[in-house]
Amino acid sequence: MTAPLHEPTADVAPAAGTEAGVAPEKAVQGRSLGRIAWERLKRDRLALGGGVVVLLLVIVALLAPVITHLVGQSPYEHHEELIDPLFSTPTGSFGAMSGEHWFGVEPVNGRDIFARIVYGARVSLLVGFLSAVVAIVLGTVLGVLAGFFGGWLDALVSRVMDMLLSFPQLLFIIALVSVMPNKLLGLEGSGVRLFVMILVIGFFGWPYVGRVVRGQTLSLREREYVDAARSLGAGRIYILFKELLPNLVAPIIVYATMMIPTNILTEAALSFLGVGVKPPSASWGQMLSSALSYYESDPMYMIIPGVAIFITVLSFNLFGDGVRDALDPKGSR
């Protein structure tokens, strides 16, 4: 008999990790960029704290009528019985703070400061968010077009950005608001001023966004995946919306979170100078301006709106820094 062509083989040893009593290793799961950014953001306690405060401020601004109704106060109701007729300052300690008036009352008219702080949050956040939206939309559109197409369009947009960046924004807003009519597009009074502030602050803010977006677009349009899309016959519209814009979301979000507190400070400065919302509408900057005459006799009237502005801007800055670090792929955290 002839020998078998193949020798009988021994049993194959079990693979590592498959022996009895040992669980097989888990398969590696991919993570999206959003999930990675969220996990990085969760490790930043300061950024999370700032985000929580920002969320609370937004809720307070949206529910301002409900909150003031629950505490039984109105931002327009006068409590002259709490005002000293000789000095026009609140009677009692700390600006007449009590269980009924948590932050005290204003000098002269006795309006509840807590109710006016709550309503002032609506003005500050409204101007901060909407003017940032105007700037982001204009800056993104013009920055992408300038960076992607280049040539004369890039030169034109770049010169317009240089011109706007050198323009005295604050003086222009003061002059414009001063000559605006009391009624415009169905709005009147403080509504007109809010509309003008949102448009002008947003218009003068878009060059900052436009420069960032233009620089990112100039870099992204030379990437390999853009060349691959062109080689497959993709048109410019497809490349803009499918290849470039998704990769610009991260820097746009970061810049938006940093722009909102700047806009809030601008609105407070304009109201402080008397060109913001008109009384009796509440504004933190307007309250600071009114408190200048009473900072010695009633310091709480100045401290409370100042602290409100400080906490709001600080919370946005902390949250913006955390978002920037979370979305930065080269970050160390």
Side-chain angles (χ1 to χ4, degrees):
M1 297 179 60
T2 59
L5 296 177
H6 301 284
E7 294 289 336
T9 58
D11 294 336
V12 179
T18 60
E19 297 178 359
V22 180
E25 295 181 358
K26 294 182 179 180
V28 177
Q29 296 180 354
R31 295 181 298 171
S32 65
L33 293 178
R35 182 177 175 183
I36 294 174
W38 169 241
E39 291 178 354
R40 291 162 64 92
L41 183 62
K42 286 193 299 183
R43 294 195 293 268
D44 192 341
R45 297 187 180 276
L46 283 177
L48 284 182
V52 170
V53 175
V54 168
L55 181 60
L56 290 176
L57 287 170
V58 173
I59 294 174
V60 167
L62 292 175
L63 301 179
V66 177
I67 294 173
T68 53
H69 177 73
L70 290 176
V71 299
Q73 298 297 334
S74 168
Y76 312 113
E77 182 181 358
H78 290 196
H79 299 276
E80 296 178 354
E81 71 278 4
L82 299 176
I83 302 299
D84 188 329
L86 181 60
F87 300 103
S88 299
T89 55
T91 57
S93 57
F94 300 105
M97 286 185 180
S98 64
E100 186 177 0
H101 302 283
W102 295 354
F103 292 169
V105 296
E106 290 184 342
V108 181
N109 49 52
R111 291 179 297 198
D112 185 78
I113 293 181
F114 174 77
R116 294 186 66 77
I117 287 291
V118 170
Y119 270 80
R122 306 184 86 183
V123 174
S124 295
L125 294 181
L126 182 68
V127 174
F129 276 105
L130 293 186
S131 55
V133 169
V134 173
I136 291 298
V137 171
L138 289 176
T140 300
V141 172
L142 296 177
V144 167
L145 293 178
F148 184 72
F149 291 102
W152 66 269
L153 181 59
D154 185 18
L156 176 62
V157 173
S158 298
R159 298 296 76 77
V160 171
M161 289 192 291
D162 293 337
M163 181 185 66
L164 291 177
L165 289 174
S166 61
F167 203 83
Q169 171 187 347
L170 195 62
L171 294 178
F172 181 79
I173 298 176
I174 294 174
L176 185 62
V177 171
S178 302
V179 300
M180 289 299 295
N182 193 45
K183 293 185 178 181
L184 179 70
L185 301 176
L187 303 172
E188 57 181 325
S190 296
V192 174
R193 294 195 172 193
L194 280 174
F195 179 73
V196 172
M197 282 194 296
I198 290 170
L199 286 185
V200 176
I201 294 174
F203 180 74
F204 281 99
W206 76 260
Y208 298 96
V209 184
R211 278 190 164 183
V212 174
V213 173
R214 173 184 173 274
Q216 291 290 324
T217 304
L218 287 173
S219 174
L220 292 175
R221 73 177 186 178
E222 307 299 333
R223 297 291 178 87
E224 292 80 1
Y225 58 85
V226 176
D227 292 335
R230 287 197 188 98
S231 64
L232 293 175
R236 291 180 172 179
I237 302 299
Y238 178 88
I239 294 175
L240 282 174
F241 285 94
K242 297 295 184 179
E243 304 292 346
L244 295 183
L245 284 179
N247 290 283
L248 292 171
V249 170
I252 291 173
I253 291 176
V254 170
Y255 210 89
T257 58
M258 306 301 289
M259 178 178 287
I260 291 173
T262 303
N263 296 341
I264 291 175
L265 287 176
T266 303
E267 184 277 327
L270 291 171
S271 296
F272 182 86
L273 295 173
V275 293
V277 295
K278 290 183 176 181
S281 299
S283 170
W284 294 344
Q286 181 193 103
M287 295 174 70
L288 281 176
S289 179
S290 302
L292 289 177
S293 303
Y294 302 96
Y295 71 93
E296 291 183 347
S297 57
D298 186 14
M300 297 306 297
Y301 186 32
M302 173 174 284
I303 291 174
I304 291 174
V307 170
I309 295 174
F310 172 77
I311 290 176
T312 301
V313 174
L314 178 63
S315 300
F316 272 104
N317 285 333
L318 290 176
F319 182 65
D321 287 339
V323 171
R324 180 189 60 194
D325 293 337
L327 294 176
D328 184 9
K330 299 179 181 179
S332 58
R333 284 194 278 176

